[in-house]
Amino acid sequence: MKVIETIQEMTHYTETAKSSGQRIGFVPTMGFLHAGHQQLIETAAEENDIVVVSIFVNPLQFAPGEDYETYPRDLSADKRAAKAAGGSVIFAPSADEMYPRSMSVRVLPAQGTDVLCGRSRPGHFDGVLTVVQKLFHIIDPDTAYFGTKDAQQLALVENMVHDLNSRVRIGRVPTVREADGLAKSSRNENLTIEERKEAPELYQALYTASAQAGVGISAEMIEAAACEHLTTHTRGSVDYVELLTYPELTKDIAPGKTVILAAALKFRHARLIDNLIFTWPDNEGTAQFKA
Ligand code: AMP
């Protein structure tokens, strides 16, 4: 698997491919690839001629004290995983290559960051959108693929593409889970054996609480049920549990609307996030899950 480390070579690679009429799919990641990333790569490979997988742990989206230094990295394994899923080339620039000087400009989301991870990680999505926009400029893909596992990120990227009239199409890929329901994540690596046993309760909490959605049930009741499940069944600390409309991320919940129940749970060395997206039921109906 070819690994490109410079922006110049990456740009040349995709320009050449595009000039011969090839469609470029792009999967941005922070590496330590697992079956979730591979699902994105497989989807991209089905829909495009070439798939660029970027591997870049972006310092701009980590606050001091977060896990930038300890974020797991393994480029050799990533090469094998990307190739097996149908990736064509890996773009793995250094931080100096991406940020040779301090940035004079950043992409700042104007809405949708006062909830979920945006509230608990101030500035995080400024870093995410800035690097995603840079990568879009470098790679110039036809379609870029994002997981609904990071649902707020996906919503903000879709907003950015829409509001900045970017030509990149955004592909949504549903969350890939372990057999016990735990969403695949590079950060699962940092769980202790005991924490790993408790971690599937994050999905269980969301699933059990969202199944209660219906007439006479408020968002607060669902959030409280999920929170109670987490505090009863795990030793992690609940960062947030929120029920919002999706992808607008407002409290404006109503029958028939698509909603997201999302949570973040902090273990000692890993902060895990997960969500369920479903239709808020009307009358006697029950929640219809979408992802
Ligand atoms: P990351 O490397 O964690 O930044 O993730 C890169 C991309 O993979 C993002 O679009 C994520 O939403 C997506 N992703 C991460 N975990 C999963 C998963 N379990 N299922 C599907 N997509 C995922």
Side-chain angles (χ1 to χ4, degrees):
M1 163 72 47
K2 185 175 171 63
V3 178
I4 293 177
E5 293 180 353
T6 67
I7 292 168
Q8 195 183 16
E9 195 186 343
M10 189 68 249
T11 305
H12 178 70
Y13 181 96
T14 46
E15 270 176 5
T16 308
K18 286 196 117 179
S19 65
S20 62
Q22 295 186 289
R23 287 184 61 83
I24 314 269
F26 172 43
V27 178
T29 83
M30 296 202 298
F32 214 74
L33 302 183
H34 50 66
H37 299 115
Q38 286 183 303
Q39 183 65 56
L40 270 64
I41 298 169
E42 281 165 23
T43 308
E46 279 163 20
E47 298 178 2
N48 300 274
D49 303 303
I50 282 185
V51 179
V52 180
V53 180
S54 69
I55 295 181
F56 181 60
V57 185
N58 174 33
L60 219 57
Q61 69 192 62
F62 289 80
E66 289 188 343
D67 57 350
Y68 175 68
E69 280 83 16
T70 57
Y71 196 86
R73 295 160 166 93
D74 186 346
L75 186 58
S76 307
D78 286 348
K79 284 200 234 174
R80 290 192 294 276
K83 188 172 180 201
S88 318
V89 63
I90 287 176
F91 179 49
S94 67
D96 282 346
E97 179 71 7
M98 288 295 278
Y99 304 113
R101 57 179 211 187
S102 79
M103 292 287 283
S104 59
V105 144
R106 288 192 188 198
V107 181
L108 304 189
Q111 36 180 273
T113 53
D114 54 344
V115 292
L116 310 174
C117 291
R119 186 164 47 206
S120 43
R121 300 182 71 187
H124 169 66
F125 288 112
D126 306 356
V128 170
L129 294 190
T130 301
V131 80
V132 167
Q133 189 62 63
K134 276 172 76 76
L135 290 165
F136 284 179
H137 284 142
I138 293 164
I139 292 158
D140 192 19
D142 293 285
T143 308
Y145 297 83
F146 291 83
T148 55
K149 155 128 189 317
D150 298 274
Q152 186 173 21
Q153 167 176 284
L154 172 59
L156 293 173
V157 168
E158 286 178 342
N159 285 343
M160 174 179 78
V161 161
H162 181 268
D163 290 352
L164 298 184
N165 306 100
S166 176
R167 303 224 181 138
V168 182
R169 190 181 80 85
I170 302 301
R172 289 184 180 188
V173 180
T175 302
V176 177
R177 300 177 179 282
E178 304 282 358
D180 59 13
L182 175 64
K184 301 249 185 194
S185 166
S186 310
R187 288 188 168 99
N188 294 348
E189 191 71 10
N190 293 337
L191 295 169
T192 65
I193 292 168
E194 283 309 307
E195 289 172 343
R196 174 63 188 83
K197 283 186 197 148
E198 293 178 358
E201 297 297 340
L202 180 52
Y203 174 65
Q204 276 307 321
L206 298 175
Y207 190 79
T208 317
S210 52
Q212 296 174 16
V215 175
I217 304 289
S218 67
E220 290 73 22
M221 288 157 85
I222 302 274
E223 291 167 353
C227 198
E228 159 128 32
H229 185 112
L230 289 171
T231 47
T232 313
H233 293 88
T234 79
R235 275 161 289 182
S237 74
V238 179
D239 192 350
Y240 64 74
V241 177
E242 272 183 273
L243 181 69
L244 301 166
T245 61
Y246 193 80
E248 304 83 6
L249 303 177
T250 71
K251 290 268 178 209
D252 193 17
I253 289 154
K257 274 202 175 177
T258 300
V259 297
I260 182 168
L261 179 63
L265 184 65
K266 275 187 183 163
F267 287 106
R268 263 188 15 195
H269 300 296
R271 177 180 174 279
L272 304 185
I273 59 169
D274 201 351
N275 68 76
L276 282 176
I277 297 173
F278 57 98
T279 308
W280 190 258
D282 41 18
N283 301 324
E284 301 302 306
T286 51
Q288 297 294 314
F289 294 101
K290 297 194 167 172

